[in-house]
Amino acid sequence: MEVFSLLDSSPIVLTYRIVDFKYWETGSYVKMQIVLIDNSVLHVREYNDEFERNYSFHWQNSQGAFVMRWDNAPHHRHLKTYPNHMHRNDLIEESDVITLKDVLKYITSCI
């Protein structure tokens, strides 16, 4: 699968652990923990099928403190990128970072 190739080739991914993985003809579900080169951790949960996509990318520093989260939970309708948004500090902001590839690219610019 493309996601595993992405992780295997990313220069910022130290290790990853697949917590749950299901794949069927019309979709997939993956839940994993990715340890990055600065020892921060990215928790990934993504569901895809022919009708919907739900995701959450939750980034914590090496001490386990919240850094950022990107998700598409259907709230925050006032945002232009609804349902896509990110949580940073106490703020909820618009976000076009919606894939694991996007998230890893963003984090690469931060670490």
Side-chain angles (χ1 to χ4, degrees):
M1 262 187 92
E2 183 179 327
V3 67
F4 302 122
S5 297
L6 173 66
L7 294 172
D8 290 336
S9 65
S10 174
I12 67 165
V13 172
L14 189 60
T15 63
Y16 62 92
R17 181 173 71 90
I18 301 164
V19 176
D20 193 6
F21 177 68
K22 295 175 180 70
Y23 187 80
W24 56 98
E25 186 176 329
T26 59
S28 63
Y29 172 78
V30 66
K31 182 176 180 180
M32 67 178 83
Q33 295 175 347
I34 303 168
V35 178
L36 304 174
I37 58 173
D38 66 348
N39 289 310
S40 63
V41 178
L42 181 64
H43 298 271
V44 174
R45 182 191 49 77
E46 188 166 6
Y47 173 90
N48 290 288
D49 70 19
E50 58 191 313
F51 301 108
E52 70 179 298
R53 176 172 181 255
N54 298 307
Y55 67 87
S56 174
F57 306 106
H58 182 94
W59 185 24
Q60 295 177 309
N61 68 21
S62 60
Q63 289 77 43
F66 172 79
V67 178
M68 296 183 78
R69 184 175 69 249
W70 298 264
D71 68 76
N72 67 339
H75 46 256
H76 310 298
R77 292 182 184 271
H78 63 284
L79 298 176
K80 289 180 185 175
T81 58
Y82 172 84
N84 305 304
H85 60 278
M86 64 187 248
H87 302 256
R88 179 179 14 205
N89 301 318
D90 291 332
L91 302 174
I92 297 167
E93 302 175 11
E94 297 174 358
S95 179
D96 59 359
V97 175
I98 63 170
T99 66
L100 180 57
K101 185 176 182 177
D102 295 339
V103 170
L104 291 174
K105 183 177 178 181
Y106 182 92
I107 293 173
T108 297
S109 71
C110 296
I111 60 174

